Every structure is written in C-alpha cells, then in structure tokens.
Amino acid sequence: MPGVPHETMVMLLREHPEWLRSLVAVVAQRTLPEALLPVDSAVRLVDPAEVRLDLVLAPADGASWVLVEVQLEEDEAKARKWPLALAALWNDRRVHGDLIVITAQRSVAAWALSIGAMAGPLGTTLAVRPVVVQLTGDVAEALLDPAHPEMAFFAAWTVHDRYGPEAQAIVERATDLIETLADVALRQMLIRYILGMLHERLAKIIQEVSMDLHKIPVSPALQRLGEEFQALYGERIEARGEARGEARGEARGEARGEARALLKFLAARKLPADDARRTQVLACQDVALLDRWIARAATAHTLDEVFAAGA
C-alpha cells in the first residue's frame, strides 16, 4: 500500500498539475505542455484489463499527454506495465506523450532508466526510457526559490525519509517560504502535507516543540510547524499534559484523549478505523499501549500493522 510521501505527492499534483511543469523544468530541465488537466488514470489495454497509474495529465486540446508515476522503491512489474500503458495511451489518443517518474532515491532513479527494455531472441527491441525527476537533497536548494514558494513542498519531499540537521534545516526553510503564499488554505494544506510525511524522528522533534512552544528556543519555522502539529493533534498533547501526576480518574481522561487522537491520526493517514477497531481503541485504558499504536500509525501502511500484537 502506498505510504504518505507517495500519496501526498500524487494528491498535490492532481490538485495543482501546473506545479509539475515547474518541477520538471527545475529538476529535469524539460518543458511540459501548458494547462495540463487530470484525466482517467486507469489505462485500459484489452477490456477488461487495465493498468492503474498514479496520474495521467493532458492539455485540453489533446495534443499530448503525461503519465506520472511516484516511485519510492523498485517494482519489477513496472518493466511490463510502463510499456503497456504508453502503448495504450498512444493508441487511444493517437499522439505521443511522456512518462515522468518522480523518486527520492538515486538507486530507484537508476533502476527506472534501465528496466523498460526488452530484447527478443531474434533481436527485436522495445524500450521505454522515462524522464526521471530525482528529488534528492542536492536539488532542494533549487526548489527553495522565493519566486516560487509553492516549490518548497517538493524541497521538503526530498528529505521525507531523513531526520538529521540538514533535513530539519530544509523543512524549516520550506516552511518559511510556504508561509509567504497569499492563499491561507493552501499554506495550511502544504504544511500539513509536510507534517504527515516527515520521518518519525523529525516528527518527534516537532511534537516536542508543540508540547512547550514557550520554553524551547526554536526558529519561527519550527515553531510554526509545532503550532500546526498542536492544531492537528493538540487534544492528545493536552490530555498527556493534564494527566501528569493526577489521580486515576484523570488518567482515564488521558487514555480517552489518546484514543481520540489516535482515531484522528488514523483518519489523517487515510487509515480510518472500522467499528471493531474504533471500539477497541476507545475501550483501551492502557496509555502506554495507545502510545505504541500512535507511534506505529506514523509509518504504518495498514491497520493490521498499527494493531499487531507483540510488535
């Protein structure tokens, strides 16, 4: 199941396909068609067969098309699926298009350039060589452009799997730039997307900031992230703070706060609990267990991973 970095990238490009044009220009030095719009991303080959892609964009005049794949790890099935999808779109639309592969791993970038080739026993060849947008840390500086603050999200995405001082600095600079956007709703959405995809260790730093914004000396950007973290998960933080040193009844209140926060966190991660899981969570009085579930929910791909016994 795709993780949060994959899903946030796909959702953002679906909502703002014009940003893909800027991203490809900065990182891959290529120019995509203007005014791209999302179209059906299920590419049908022979009814009822289909290949499901992350995103397919096309200009209104249908003069071309762009297939987008966010690739966080190698997947050998793509060696067959990508040529099939490109051939099907070419056949259906009668025009040529492009495959854009976005990744944060150098090894995946190299793999993506090498897999889509076939050589038959007699020498027949078929090859797909995508345009790879390699979002590694070395391109973050180019994406942290005050003239295009929306590109700052992609700079933060380059370090979504890192947590050291360099990653923290990039996230803080990205936050500063996003804060210059005039659209308040867009600012909040981008910052929440960044919070949702952070490495769990960097997310813990943000959590600590959100628990005591006035006592910990931090940068304005980190404080802004802490405030947003508190807005998202403040009920949990407040419950933990109020329960310290209190009696058993207040401890039950802390557990309720933890349980509600966990359910909200799961919903934000697109892992909503079913009725049985919701009952299990709300009935749990073990704060330590609830904490473990919350920690797992930050990186889990399925509900079973969150609630696995003995993990």
Side-chain angles (χ1 to χ4, degrees), residues 213-241:
L213 291 171
H214 302 294
K215 292 184 180 179
I216 302 176
V218 295
S219 68
L222 197 58
Q223 181 169 342
R224 174 70 181 90
L225 286 169
E227 290 170 348
E228 192 59 41
F229 189 100
Q230 191 172 47
L232 278 170
Y233 314 121
E235 188 173 22
R236 175 196 173 208
I237 295 165
E238 181 180 354
R240 292 186 67 176

Short mmCIF file of all heavy atoms in Angstrom, two decimals, residues 213-241:
data_model
loop_
_atom_site.label_atom_id
_atom_site.label_comp_id
_atom_site.label_asym_id
_atom_site.label_seq_id
_atom_site.Cartn_x
_atom_site.Cartn_y
_atom_site.Cartn_z
N LEU A 213 5.75 25.35 23.44
CA LEU A 213 6.20 26.32 22.46
C LEU A 213 6.91 27.51 23.09
O LEU A 213 7.68 28.21 22.43
CB LEU A 213 5.00 26.83 21.65
CG LEU A 213 4.35 25.81 20.70
CD1 LEU A 213 3.05 26.37 20.15
CD2 LEU A 213 5.29 25.45 19.58
N HIS A 214 6.67 27.78 24.38
CA HIS A 214 7.18 28.99 25.01
C HIS A 214 8.53 28.79 25.70
O HIS A 214 9.25 29.74 25.94
CB HIS A 214 6.17 29.54 26.01
CG HIS A 214 4.84 29.83 25.39
ND1 HIS A 214 4.67 30.83 24.46
CD2 HIS A 214 3.62 29.25 25.54
CE1 HIS A 214 3.40 30.87 24.08
NE2 HIS A 214 2.75 29.91 24.71
N LYS A 215 8.86 27.54 26.04
CA LYS A 215 10.08 27.29 26.80
C LYS A 215 11.25 26.83 25.93
O LYS A 215 12.40 26.98 26.31
CB LYS A 215 9.82 26.25 27.89
CG LYS A 215 8.90 26.76 28.98
CD LYS A 215 8.74 25.72 30.09
CE LYS A 215 7.81 26.23 31.18
NZ LYS A 215 7.63 25.24 32.26
N ILE A 216 10.97 26.24 24.78
CA ILE A 216 12.03 25.72 23.93
C ILE A 216 12.40 26.78 22.89
O ILE A 216 11.56 27.17 22.09
CB ILE A 216 11.59 24.44 23.21
CG1 ILE A 216 11.16 23.38 24.24
CG2 ILE A 216 12.70 23.89 22.33
CD1 ILE A 216 10.61 22.12 23.62
N PRO A 217 13.66 27.27 22.89
CA PRO A 217 14.04 28.26 21.87
C PRO A 217 14.16 27.60 20.51
O PRO A 217 14.99 26.72 20.29
CB PRO A 217 15.41 28.75 22.37
CG PRO A 217 15.96 27.64 23.20
CD PRO A 217 14.76 26.94 23.81
N VAL A 218 13.31 27.99 19.58
CA VAL A 218 13.30 27.39 18.25
C VAL A 218 13.17 28.48 17.21
O VAL A 218 12.84 29.62 17.50
CB VAL A 218 12.13 26.39 18.09
CG1 VAL A 218 12.31 25.20 19.02
CG2 VAL A 218 10.79 27.07 18.34
N SER A 219 13.40 28.11 15.96
CA SER A 219 13.23 29.04 14.85
C SER A 219 11.75 29.31 14.64
O SER A 219 10.90 28.48 15.01
CB SER A 219 13.83 28.45 13.58
OG SER A 219 13.07 27.33 13.16
N PRO A 220 11.40 30.45 14.02
CA PRO A 220 9.99 30.71 13.72
C PRO A 220 9.35 29.61 12.88
O PRO A 220 8.18 29.28 13.07
CB PRO A 220 10.05 32.04 12.97
CG PRO A 220 11.30 32.70 13.45
CD PRO A 220 12.27 31.58 13.67
N ALA A 221 10.13 29.05 11.95
CA ALA A 221 9.57 28.00 11.10
C ALA A 221 9.24 26.76 11.91
O ALA A 221 8.17 26.15 11.74
CB ALA A 221 10.55 27.65 9.98
N LEU A 222 10.15 26.35 12.80
CA LEU A 222 9.89 25.16 13.61
C LEU A 222 8.73 25.42 14.57
O LEU A 222 7.92 24.53 14.85
CB LEU A 222 11.15 24.78 14.39
CG LEU A 222 11.19 23.35 14.96
CD1 LEU A 222 11.02 22.32 13.86
CD2 LEU A 222 12.48 23.11 15.72
N GLN A 223 8.63 26.65 15.07
CA GLN A 223 7.50 26.99 15.93
C GLN A 223 6.19 26.92 15.15
O GLN A 223 5.18 26.42 15.66
CB GLN A 223 7.67 28.39 16.50
CG GLN A 223 6.52 28.79 17.45
CD GLN A 223 6.82 30.05 18.22
OE1 GLN A 223 7.96 30.45 18.33
NE2 GLN A 223 5.79 30.66 18.77
N ARG A 224 6.23 27.37 13.88
CA ARG A 224 5.02 27.30 13.05
C ARG A 224 4.60 25.85 12.84
O ARG A 224 3.42 25.51 12.93
CB ARG A 224 5.29 27.97 11.70
CG ARG A 224 4.13 27.84 10.70
CD ARG A 224 2.94 28.67 11.14
NE ARG A 224 1.85 28.52 10.20
CZ ARG A 224 0.90 27.59 10.30
NH1 ARG A 224 0.90 26.73 11.31
NH2 ARG A 224 -0.07 27.52 9.41
N LEU A 225 5.57 24.97 12.58
CA LEU A 225 5.26 23.56 12.42
C LEU A 225 4.72 22.99 13.72
O LEU A 225 3.80 22.18 13.73
CB LEU A 225 6.51 22.79 11.99
CG LEU A 225 6.96 22.99 10.54
CD1 LEU A 225 8.34 22.40 10.32
CD2 LEU A 225 5.97 22.35 9.57
N GLY A 226 5.31 23.42 14.85
CA GLY A 226 4.81 22.95 16.14
C GLY A 226 3.39 23.39 16.41
O GLY A 226 2.58 22.63 16.92
N GLU A 227 3.07 24.63 16.04
CA GLU A 227 1.70 25.12 16.21
C GLU A 227 0.73 24.32 15.36
O GLU A 227 -0.38 23.99 15.80
CB GLU A 227 1.64 26.60 15.84
CG GLU A 227 2.36 27.51 16.83
CD GLU A 227 2.50 28.93 16.32
OE1 GLU A 227 2.24 29.14 15.12
OE2 GLU A 227 2.88 29.81 17.12
N GLU A 228 1.15 24.00 14.13
CA GLU A 228 0.27 23.22 13.26
C GLU A 228 0.12 21.80 13.77
O GLU A 228 -0.96 21.20 13.70
CB GLU A 228 0.81 23.21 11.83
CG GLU A 228 -0.15 22.68 10.80
CD GLU A 228 -1.45 23.47 10.74
OE1 GLU A 228 -1.40 24.72 10.83
OE2 GLU A 228 -2.51 22.85 10.64
N PHE A 229 1.21 21.25 14.31
CA PHE A 229 1.14 19.91 14.91
C PHE A 229 0.14 19.93 16.07
O PHE A 229 -0.67 19.01 16.23
CB PHE A 229 2.52 19.49 15.41
CG PHE A 229 2.62 18.05 15.85
CD1 PHE A 229 3.16 17.09 15.02
CD2 PHE A 229 2.16 17.65 17.10
CE1 PHE A 229 3.24 15.77 15.41
CE2 PHE A 229 2.24 16.34 17.51
CZ PHE A 229 2.78 15.39 16.66
N GLN A 230 0.21 20.98 16.88
CA GLN A 230 -0.71 21.08 18.02
C GLN A 230 -2.14 21.23 17.54
O GLN A 230 -3.06 20.66 18.14
CB GLN A 230 -0.32 22.28 18.89
CG GLN A 230 -1.04 22.31 20.24
CD GLN A 230 -0.49 23.39 21.13
OE1 GLN A 230 -0.30 24.52 20.69
NE2 GLN A 230 -0.24 23.06 22.38
N ALA A 231 -2.35 21.96 16.44
CA ALA A 231 -3.70 22.11 15.91
C ALA A 231 -4.24 20.78 15.43
O ALA A 231 -5.43 20.48 15.57
CB ALA A 231 -3.70 23.12 14.76
N LEU A 232 -3.35 19.95 14.86
CA LEU A 232 -3.78 18.65 14.35
C LEU A 232 -3.98 17.65 15.48
O LEU A 232 -4.95 16.89 15.48
CB LEU A 232 -2.73 18.11 13.38
CG LEU A 232 -2.77 18.62 11.94
CD1 LEU A 232 -1.53 18.18 11.19
CD2 LEU A 232 -4.02 18.14 11.23
N TYR A 233 -3.03 17.62 16.42
CA TYR A 233 -3.02 16.56 17.42
C TYR A 233 -3.04 17.12 18.85
O TYR A 233 -2.63 16.45 19.79
CB TYR A 233 -1.78 15.67 17.24
CG TYR A 233 -1.53 15.28 15.82
CD1 TYR A 233 -0.35 15.62 15.17
CD2 TYR A 233 -2.50 14.59 15.10
CE1 TYR A 233 -0.14 15.26 13.85
CE2 TYR A 233 -2.30 14.24 13.78
CZ TYR A 233 -1.11 14.58 13.16
OH TYR A 233 -0.91 14.24 11.86
N GLY A 234 -3.51 18.37 18.98
CA GLY A 234 -3.44 19.04 20.27
C GLY A 234 -4.20 18.35 21.38
O GLY A 234 -3.84 18.42 22.55
N GLU A 235 -5.30 17.67 21.02
CA GLU A 235 -6.09 17.00 22.04
C GLU A 235 -5.26 15.95 22.76
O GLU A 235 -5.33 15.79 23.97
CB GLU A 235 -7.33 16.37 21.40
CG GLU A 235 -8.30 15.81 22.42
CD GLU A 235 -9.58 15.36 21.75
OE1 GLU A 235 -9.57 15.09 20.54
OE2 GLU A 235 -10.60 15.27 22.45
N ARG A 236 -4.45 15.24 22.02
CA ARG A 236 -3.59 14.22 22.61
C ARG A 236 -2.55 14.88 23.53
O ARG A 236 -2.32 14.43 24.64
CB ARG A 236 -2.88 13.44 21.50
CG ARG A 236 -1.89 12.45 22.07
CD ARG A 236 -0.93 11.95 21.01
NE ARG A 236 0.09 11.14 21.63
CZ ARG A 236 1.31 11.00 21.16
NH1 ARG A 236 1.68 11.64 20.10
NH2 ARG A 236 2.18 10.24 21.77
N ILE A 237 -1.91 15.97 23.02
CA ILE A 237 -0.87 16.63 23.81
C ILE A 237 -1.45 17.21 25.09
O ILE A 237 -0.89 17.08 26.18
CB ILE A 237 -0.22 17.74 22.95
CG1 ILE A 237 0.50 17.10 21.77
CG2 ILE A 237 0.73 18.58 23.77
CD1 ILE A 237 0.86 18.08 20.68
N GLU A 238 -2.61 17.85 24.96
CA GLU A 238 -3.26 18.44 26.14
C GLU A 238 -3.62 17.37 27.16
O GLU A 238 -3.43 17.55 28.36
CB GLU A 238 -4.51 19.20 25.69
CG GLU A 238 -5.24 19.88 26.83
CD GLU A 238 -6.47 20.61 26.34
OE1 GLU A 238 -6.68 20.68 25.12
OE2 GLU A 238 -7.24 21.09 27.20
N ALA A 239 -4.13 16.25 26.66
CA ALA A 239 -4.51 15.17 27.57
C ALA A 239 -3.30 14.64 28.32
O ALA A 239 -3.37 14.38 29.53
CB ALA A 239 -5.18 14.04 26.79
N ARG A 240 -2.17 14.51 27.64
CA ARG A 240 -0.98 13.99 28.29
C ARG A 240 -0.47 14.96 29.34
O ARG A 240 -0.08 14.56 30.44
CB ARG A 240 0.12 13.74 27.25
CG ARG A 240 -0.19 12.61 26.30
CD ARG A 240 0.95 12.30 25.39
NE ARG A 240 2.07 11.75 26.14
CZ ARG A 240 3.19 11.32 25.58
NH1 ARG A 240 3.32 11.38 24.27
NH2 ARG A 240 4.17 10.85 26.31
N GLY A 241 -0.50 16.27 29.01
CA GLY A 241 -0.02 17.25 29.97
C GLY A 241 -0.90 17.31 31.21
O GLY A 241 -0.40 17.38 32.34
#
